Amino acid sequence: MKTIESTKNERVKAWKKLHTRKGREQADSFLIEGDHLVDEALAASVAIEAMITTRTDYETPFSGSVYYVTQAVMDELSMTETAPGIIAVCQKKVWKQPTSLTGTYVLLDSVQDPGNVGTIIRTALALHASGVILGKGTVDVYNDKVIRSTQGALFHMPVYTGDLHQWIETFKKETVPVIGTALTNASPLKRDQTYPSFALLVGNEGEGVQPSLLSQATENVYIPISQRSESLNVGIATGILLFSLQG
Amino acid sequence: MKTIESTKNERVKAWKKLHTRKGREQADSFLIEGDHLVDEALAASVAIEAMITTRTDYETPFSGSVYYVTQAVMDELSMTETAPGIIAVCQKKVWKQPTSLTGTYVLLDSVQDPGNVGTIIRTALALHASGVILGKGTVDVYNDKVIRSTQGALFHMPVYTGDLHQWIETFKKETVPVIGTALTNASPLKRDQTYPSFALLVGNEGEGVQPSLLSQATENVYIPISQRSESLNVGIATGILLFSLQG
């Protein structure tokens, strides 16, 4: 076990760069915090570059480098108010492009709240989806708040990025219907409206899905809500639609 | 318009007490932040005690006391990282006990995350529920993060507190089924399982609903999720169940 006591240590500085999207893109790695996420990562065979801990008696099945750090170093590396006892440096996973698009996919157009993106990935995993596709303007999946909200689902759910216009065309070519969500020019979600395979397209918290994507969709639906209400949270809407459309 | 320039002003001190549950209970009032919530409160005829703003040119249909404050005072009163231009002091609303329990109700047993409670209230309003009942151990509905997550739904959705054992008995006496959520000793949610009226019982993020409440429920259900997944977020589960059980 190696010991790091200074917040000015070069390794600490390098790890801190992973707090930003740019730093994560340059290093192709990211940080996860706390026992639950670390256990999930180990269980999912995520490639871990290093473990960083304040616990002198830390035991782990991980065979790579373990760094013992002071509380001050841990506070510097943590993105949470109360620093955890353990942080792991993980390599980004590149998911293989799916060979077939059967199953359920969720397409996110400019979803900006990290908690929403993380919860949607967690929900997609729970509700048997095959993948989540992040379009332009959607928050980085390796953002610390996204990771925390996924509660480990990130390590099990294939996540892709890319141009949603192109993805929609690909789904349609494979005769998988793309179901957009919109408040106008859309049909109310019907109970018997189910599909063996589909791609669900949801959008930005304030603006919804951009019109050019909606016009490409096979069909656009909305969840009938009370007139007293402005809208559903995008994560809640995604949960309802995934569950309901799967039948 | 009155002006307050000092963070040590007695009124500022009194308003700051509303940051805690105890302070809100003593004063029977609470703070809301930002234009959207204030507009919602005005539209819903919430009893507003005072408006507090940094905007010298603030115009409002509100006819009560408006206080112009410095940025330092606003920073002191705000619970958000970036203080808004406007805060309102509102009186708590006591909702009349419902005369009939037909319709849909949501019962929360020890739901502790403010974002979850707020999102559930917002979802309940959107999905035509008649009320939300907060049991023991559930976070205070006037907590600033709960209020923010309701996005104003708080002003339109009747929210009650009380002993859930008693509430469940009352529902059952009125022959309204109480549908609990549990992972064991429960049936999978079925597509054709719908009720004209029901009370949905959801529980703590980690522990679920306490067994003594589950044993009182008319029936307990679960949402079938992937084996790769640990659980759904309680807000997401509530959304799916409310939508699905209403038919």
Side-chain angles (χ1 to χ4, degrees), chain A residues 36 40 81 119-120 122-130 145 151 156-158 189-194 205 223-236 239-240 243-247, chain B residues 36 40 81 119-120 122-130 145 151 156-158 189-194 205 223-236 239-240 243-247:
Chain A
H36 180 247
E40 286 284 319
E81 274 182 46
T119 303
I120 288 172
R122 178 180 170 193
T123 304
L125 182 71
L127 297 181
H128 318 275
S130 302
K145 287 181 193 150
Q151 302 233 343
H156 305 280
M157 171 56 50
L189 175 64
K190 285 181 288 289
R191 253 188 126 61
D192 57 357
Q193 185 176 3
T194 64
E205 288 82 358
I223 298 170
I225 62 172
S226 163
Q227 286 190 330
R228 296 178 301 164
S229 161
E230 279 182 26
S231 63
L232 281 166
N233 164 278
V234 63
I236 303 280
I240 293 172
F243 184 82
S244 192
L245 294 169
Q246 283 176 356
Chain B
H36 180 246
E40 285 284 318
E81 274 182 48
T119 302
I120 289 172
R122 177 179 170 194
T123 304
L125 181 72
L127 297 181
H128 318 278
S130 300
K145 286 180 195 153
Q151 301 231 344
H156 304 281
M157 171 55 51
L189 175 64
K190 285 183 287 291
R191 254 189 124 63
D192 57 355
Q193 185 176 2
T194 64
E205 288 83 357
I223 298 170
I225 63 172
S226 164
Q227 286 188 331
R228 297 178 300 164
S229 160
E230 281 182 26
S231 64
L232 281 165
N233 165 279
V234 63
I236 302 281
I240 292 172
F243 184 82
S244 193
L245 294 169
Q246 283 177 357

Side-chain angles (χ1 to χ4, degrees), chain A residues 78-132:
Chain A
S78 171
M79 302 283 275
T80 50
E81 274 182 46
T82 314
I86 174 85
I87 284 182
V89 185
C90 304
Q91 280 173 26
K92 288 188 184 180
K93 173 159 182 168
V94 180
W95 294 92
K96 258 188 261 173
Q97 292 292 314
T99 48
S100 136
L101 291 175
T102 52
T104 305
Y105 286 83
V106 186
L107 279 58
L108 306 187
D109 175 35
S110 293
V111 179
Q112 286 176 336
D113 180 85
N116 284 340
V117 172
T119 303
I120 288 172
I121 292 170
R122 178 180 170 193
T123 304
L125 182 71
L127 297 181
H128 318 275
S130 302
V132 175

